[in-house]
Amino acid sequence: MMKICLLVWILILDFGFDSVTCDNILVLMGVPSPSHFIWIHPVINKLAANGHNVTVLSVNVDPNPPQNTTYIHLENTYNVLYGNGTATNNIMERSEDNPFEAVMSAYKFGILGCIGCTSSRGFKVLLNYPDDFRFDAVIYDCSAGPCISGFLHKFGYPPLISVSAFGFPPFSPLLVGGHKPSPYFALAYDSRMNFFERAMDFLVQSFDSVYHRWVFLARIQALAQSAFNFPLPYLMNIEKRTQLMLVNSNPILDSAEILPQNVIPVGGLQVVDPNPLSQDILSFIESSPKGAVLFAMGTNFKSKMFTRERQMMFMEAFSKLPEYNFLWKFDEENLPVPTPPNVMIRKWLSQSDILAHPKIRAFITHCGLLGTYEATYHGVPIVAIPIYIDQHKNAARSIRDGAGLSLSLRALSTESIEKTLVNLLGNDTFRINMQKRSELLRDQPEKPLDRAIWWIEWVLRHPHEYHSRSPILDMNTIAKNNVDVIGCLIFICVAELYIFYRFLRCLKSVRQSNSIVNTKKSQ
């Protein structure tokens, strides 16, 4: 009898444990960028593996999702962003944008993404969920604005976990408070700025703040309100409900930041144990006499954005280095010239898995943040061709650390490509410096993915616990910057100076009166 009772008790405990840990999580991924999905994808899979039910509203979807995971596709977003394949993008112009143009370009990206998300059938699918459908937490990519954050209002404000694959975005203090002293993401400055760099940084940060508040958010609010079938609160106030923020940041690759206590750096969490390479790619890498080079310009960059002339420059340069094999992620069908025997073309290459191979000697990259983390983690030096926004900053940081070289898009030629590759591949200093960065990045008490999962489940265990929330979020601009205190102190100082001045005037008047009286007496 005792054994039966004990068995029943164990089954009750086991059932109770499962019911506690099996939470419903909503993931809102409205950023039209495959790289952002690549970053959050391991988090989704790990949460599902831990027994949680995960619903993902996303621009990108997993064609083979794990058990417990439901994807709702925002299918029209890329059509809007790329004009159904008809949009053109002059990368020469984009690569030479000044910082103010880069600000407007980034926010235009967010507005187009919002139009695409809200016009998708998937948006309406989630909108038709019952209002009382229970989600225990919402994970929300805040990188491109609060367009779809209205779903928190619909579902009764579950605990909010904001995430960003874009590092610690410039608008983060609006979500979690704190102060952001580091250089603006579109500036390739070191964190130790001189006067002129600080002046430029101040102007750009100020321009971003004004544009974000009065242009971007106003446009996003209007677009979102037209899509949701209920009155929306101010979307910025929804974002301020952030209980926890996970950011793709690490001081080894990013400027040092002053982070509020509820901001958890999980830089490089997408770097997981490498999967085996396909046999053709593996054979191609291992057959190279001196090693192989990976050439991949990220997920948002299309091969057609390189002119045919530039494509031929790379082909010709690669053909002049037959001792190395080159893997090029090239999404066009028609190549400008016959492919040299030491070049392999693929529409898709598993970037991190290839970089993990010990015979990879260099990585030609646009220096997106994910690729920079992956190259650093695997100790592979880079040849940087930065195009957009933060890529210039990421490239400059790697070059300052002696972990790579850069190519100028405007001055690109077969000779410059060949010369840069020869310099990088023939000098072990670059690899040694990158391996040193790799050691620093790897030396952590736990893997960034495990850290992210622990904190997400901490929120599930302690919903709406805001003890680490910055009080600055509840202050107005005057109180936040102590304008009232400074004004009061100035008033007191001015009043004291005025009283002292009147006292001196009075004292002088008394002395003059006494002097006149004494003069009359002497007469």
Side-chain angles (χ1 to χ4, degrees), residues 202-321:
F202 173 79
L203 291 173
V204 176
Q205 298 261 24
S206 300
F207 177 76
D208 177 274
S209 297
V210 172
Y211 197 93
H212 178 264
R213 172 69 182 273
W214 300 107
V215 179
F216 175 69
L217 286 181
R219 180 76 171 119
I220 292 295
Q221 184 80 32
L223 288 169
Q225 185 58 79
S226 66
F228 283 94
N229 55 9
F230 52 83
L232 287 173
Y234 184 46
L235 296 179
M236 194 72 243
N237 290 337
I238 293 179
E239 290 189 305
K240 285 184 179 181
R241 291 174 171 267
T242 297
Q243 182 176 345
L244 181 76
M245 188 174 189
L246 303 175
V247 293
N248 189 27
S249 179
N250 186 296
I252 304 304
L253 286 103
D254 303 292
S255 299
E257 300 275 11
I258 301 173
L259 300 178
Q261 290 181 326
N262 61 338
V263 176
I264 310 300
V266 288
L269 67 76
Q270 84 282 0
V271 184
V272 295
D273 294 336
N275 295 311
L277 298 175
S278 62
Q279 190 57 48
D280 58 336
I281 292 177
L282 183 64
S283 299
F284 185 75
I285 293 173
E286 294 184 343
S287 65
S288 55
K290 289 189 176 182
V293 177
L294 175 62
F295 183 13
M297 294 291 289
T299 54
N300 288 318
F301 186 92
K302 306 301 179 185
S303 299
K304 67 179 180 181
M305 294 178 183
F306 274 138
T307 63
R308 289 297 189 190
E309 182 183 8
R310 293 193 187 101
Q311 292 171 3
M312 290 181 66
M313 290 176 187
F314 283 106
M315 285 294 192
E316 291 170 2
F318 296 162
S319 67
K320 293 181 178 182
L321 298 169

Side-chain angles (χ1 to χ4, degrees), residues 34 280-281 294-303 327-335 344-351 354:
D280 58 336
I281 292 177
L294 175 62
F295 183 13
M297 294 291 289
T299 54
N300 288 318
F301 186 92
K302 306 301 179 185
S303 299
L327 296 101
W328 187 354
K329 187 178 82 67
F330 194 96
D331 51 52
E332 288 278 292
E333 292 290 349
N334 301 317
L335 299 178
M344 173 182 280
I345 300 293
R346 289 290 184 273
K347 283 189 174 184
W348 177 257
L349 291 170
S350 182
Q351 185 170 280
I354 291 173

Side-chain angles (χ1 to χ4, degrees), residues 18-305:
D18 287 343
S19 64
V20 170
T21 57
C22 181
D23 296 287
N24 294 325
I25 300 172
L26 174 62
V27 181
L28 300 175
M29 294 294 297
V31 181
S33 172
S35 60
H36 281 247
F37 180 70
I38 290 170
W39 185 77
I40 199 66
H41 190 230
V43 174
I44 295 169
N45 288 352
K46 185 67 174 177
L47 288 171
N50 286 3
H52 303 293
N53 298 315
V54 187
T55 302
V56 188
L57 179 70
S58 178
V59 178
N60 303 276
V61 298
D62 185 345
N64 300 300
Q67 192 176 9
N68 309 335
T69 305
T70 301
Y71 278 91
I72 304 174
H73 191 196
L74 296 169
E75 80 293 335
N76 195 43
T77 312
Y78 285 121
N79 293 334
V80 172
L81 186 64
Y82 294 118
N84 294 301
T86 62
T88 59
N89 194 348
N90 189 324
I91 62 168
M92 184 65 72
E93 291 181 2
R94 295 284 74 77
S95 67
E96 296 180 350
D97 276 351
N98 65 50
F100 302 98
E101 292 170 331
V103 170
M104 293 186 288
S105 178
Y107 288 129
K108 180 182 178 182
F109 177 85
I111 290 170
L112 289 173
C114 184
I115 294 171
C117 288
T118 54
S119 62
S120 294
R121 293 187 300 274
F123 181 90
K124 294 177 176 61
V125 169
L126 187 60
L127 195 60
N128 289 330
Y129 271 43
D131 292 349
D132 58 354
F133 191 94
R134 183 179 65 85
F135 286 111
D136 300 289
V138 174
I139 299 173
Y140 151 71
D141 191 334
C142 61
S143 306
C147 178
I148 57 177
S149 63
F151 283 110
L152 271 92
H153 183 75
K154 173 180 173 63
F155 294 117
Y157 294 103
L160 175 59
I161 302 167
S162 295
V163 300
S164 177
F166 192 61
F168 193 49
F171 51 82
S172 299
L174 298 176
L175 278 67
V176 291
H179 173 62
K180 190 169 176 60
S182 61
Y184 190 74
F185 69 85
L187 297 171
Y189 299 155
D190 190 8
S191 56
R192 295 171 178 83
M193 296 178 282
N194 59 37
F195 172 79
F196 295 103
E197 290 172 339
R198 284 188 291 111
M200 175 58 76
D201 183 63
F202 173 79
L203 291 173
V204 176
Q205 298 261 24
S206 300
F207 177 76
D208 177 274
S209 297
V210 172
Y211 197 93
H212 178 264
R213 172 69 182 273
W214 300 107
V215 179
F216 175 69
L217 286 181
R219 180 76 171 119
I220 292 295
Q221 184 80 32
L223 288 169
Q225 185 58 79
S226 66
F228 283 94
N229 55 9
F230 52 83
L232 287 173
Y234 184 46
L235 296 179
M236 194 72 243
N237 290 337
I238 293 179
E239 290 189 305
K240 285 184 179 181
R241 291 174 171 267
T242 297
Q243 182 176 345
L244 181 76
M245 188 174 189
L246 303 175
V247 293
N248 189 27
S249 179
N250 186 296
I252 304 304
L253 286 103
D254 303 292
S255 299
E257 300 275 11
I258 301 173
L259 300 178
Q261 290 181 326
N262 61 338
V263 176
I264 310 300
V266 288
L269 67 76
Q270 84 282 0
V271 184
V272 295
D273 294 336
N275 295 311
L277 298 175
S278 62
Q279 190 57 48
D280 58 336
I281 292 177
L282 183 64
S283 299
F284 185 75
I285 293 173
E286 294 184 343
S287 65
S288 55
K290 289 189 176 182
V293 177
L294 175 62
F295 183 13
M297 294 291 289
T299 54
N300 288 318
F301 186 92
K302 306 301 179 185
S303 299
K304 67 179 180 181
M305 294 178 183

